[in-house]
Amino acid sequence: MTMEGEKTTAPAGSAKRALVGRLSWGLADQAASSVSNFAVGIYVARSLGVTAFGVFSLAWVTYGVVLNVSRGLSTDPLVVRFSGVSDVSWRGAVARSTGTALGVGTAMGAVCLLAGLGLGGRLGPAFACLGVMMPGLLLQDAWRFGFFAAGNGRKAFVNDVVWGVALVPAMVVAAHVGSVAAFVLAWGASAAVAAVYGCLQSGIRPRMAEARGWLREQRDLGYRYLVENVSLSGASQLRAYGLGAIVGVGAVGAVRGAELLMGPFLAVLMGLSLVTVPEAARVLRQAPHRLGPFCLRLGGGQAVAALLWGGALLLMPDRLGDLALGDVWRSSSHLIVAITFSVAGAGLGTGAAAGLRALGAARRSLRCQLFASACYVGGGLGGAAVAGTVGSAWGVAAATVSGSAVWWLQLRSALRERDHNSVPEVRTS
């Protein structure tokens, strides 16, 4: 009996240590990424003021839309279907997936470049520079997801550290130039350095020529994830542009400033998001009955942590806010409570979203995201029309909490449906 107990507990303890290790690397990687993003935001806010920071934020939001296009088509199917598979399968999939990301960056970068040349004014140069930098930005992100699919978060962490190190001299040069376009170039060029380093880390060359084959093979997931991701980031972009039109570009900078204050917690949330889908997929393969509790602990823990962090921000003295954000602090400090509830709602929903992704329930997750995105735009712009920037923030908070409830209802239905059906086969090649 003792021998049996030892044989069964040892693997369980080893698996738990492996899980903690993968989660720890996810947090470390996102910490490295978010520290650099936070530093960029703070540096630009203090260097250029609230209006120019609003212009930079619009470029940042646009990048977020294109990034989610790339993830939906390239890396989201990768982490669902090629997490924990053989090295041969993983390497072939990563080569095609990163090639797809590079192709998306090239195509969408050309669109941004042409749009920037046509816009002129303050926005034009920023968008033109964003277009030039887009391929490197998307390839760097694709390497991160590829490494986490292999359970090798350490390499993703090192890659983000390389980006951060390269960012320091680039930002110094941008500060001497003193324009939004210069900061966009500095941010993107340092990402390109990390993207090239990712090729050296993996020993894999992105295969753009095989992007069409990858899209064809993953079309049952990829195109639904594309619509889902674009609806998420597109809603954010519509809200930003609408808020700028209704209230002013300064309002966009104020919202972005409040989001920066949540930066350390968002680093945790996004760090976990890098590993939650691969881990949920592993739980589904190894112990399907534990998927629901795993997702609940994941989402609930993030929601509680967001509320605690928001509470700490409310106690922060004004002098520290001025030190961090400069003139932006006066506009952003009034949004802390609303942004906190918004992030808590998003954290709660990510647990259910990870479960639906692991189940391959793309139709259900798409419905959830479309609903949540419609609420986000409606709440953000409706609130702006009624009560300006503060109203927009509270509208988004209400929308995020409502969307989270729908995510959990759909996960519960998907788990019940799975209990009555056979386990679908997961492709690994």
Side-chain angles (χ1 to χ4, degrees), residues 182-203:
F183 281 105
V184 173
L185 280 177
W187 168 55
S190 54
V193 172
V196 173
Y197 182 65
C199 298
L200 300 176
Q201 284 179 291
S202 63

Side-chain angles (χ1 to χ4, degrees), residues 67-274:
L67 178 65
N68 279 292
V69 171
S70 176
R71 287 179 177 178
L73 294 176
S74 60
T75 53
D76 283 347
L78 176 75
V79 297
V80 170
R81 286 182 166 150
F82 296 91
S83 293
V85 301
S86 68
D87 185 65
V88 173
S89 296
W90 175 81
R91 291 181 69 86
V94 168
R96 289 174 287 156
S97 175
T98 53
T100 302
L102 192 56
V104 171
T106 301
M108 298 302 291
V111 173
C112 288
L113 176 60
L114 292 175
L117 294 176
L119 281 172
R122 283 188 168 186
L123 278 175
F127 273 74
C129 293
L130 177 64
V132 173
M133 296 292 105
M134 194 68 76
L137 285 163
L138 297 192
L139 181 58
Q140 191 276 336
D141 184 76
W143 286 127
R144 298 172 69 207
F145 280 82
F147 291 139
F148 277 109
N152 197 343
R154 181 181 62 84
K155 287 189 175 181
F157 169 75
V158 172
N159 192 275
D160 270 322
V161 170
V162 169
W163 185 2
V165 170
L167 190 62
V168 174
M171 294 300 287
V172 171
V173 173
H176 282 295
V177 177
S179 68
V180 176
F183 281 105
V184 173
L185 280 177
W187 168 55
S190 54
V193 172
V196 173
Y197 182 65
C199 298
L200 300 176
Q201 284 179 291
S202 63
I204 298 172
R205 186 181 66 182
R207 301 176 188 167
M208 285 183 61
E210 297 187 22
R212 182 175 298 179
W214 173 263
L215 294 175
R216 184 171 58 252
E217 292 170 12
Q218 311 301 328
R219 62 182 178 274
D220 57 327
L221 294 182
Y223 291 118
R224 288 193 176 96
Y225 289 157
L226 168 65
V227 176
E228 182 180 328
N229 290 356
V230 170
S231 69
L232 170 64
S233 54
S236 178
Q237 189 175 32
L238 286 174
R239 186 262 184 127
Y241 287 156
L243 182 61
I246 295 171
V247 184
V249 176
V252 181
V255 170
R256 177 61 183 156
E259 291 172 349
L260 280 173
L261 294 173
M262 295 294 293
F265 172 75
L266 289 174
V268 175
L269 190 153
M270 290 185 287
L272 290 174
S273 72
L274 289 170

Side-chain angles (χ1 to χ4, degrees), residues 307-404:
L307 293 174
L308 291 175
W309 181 260
L313 287 177
L314 291 175
L315 301 176
M316 186 170 69
D318 285 339
R319 65 179 181 276
L320 292 181
D322 288 329
L323 181 64
L325 295 179
D327 293 340
V328 178
W329 165 252
R330 295 181 181 84
S331 303
S332 299
S333 59
H334 304 293
L335 309 178
I336 291 175
V337 176
I339 294 291
T340 297
F341 279 102
S342 179
V343 173
L348 183 62
T350 56
L356 288 176
R357 286 286 177 94
L359 289 166
R363 290 184 179 180
R364 290 185 180 276
S365 62
L366 176 59
R367 286 198 293 267
C368 291
Q369 192 56 67
L370 290 175
F371 173 82
S373 297
C375 289
Y376 184 94
V377 174
L381 297 186
V386 173
T389 309
V390 174
S392 179
W394 278 110
V396 166
T400 305
V401 173
S402 300
S404 178

Side-chain angles (χ1 to χ4, degrees), residues 27-29 31 85 195 197 277 285 385:
L27 291 174
D29 170 72
V85 301
Y197 182 65
V277 176
R285 290 190 182 98

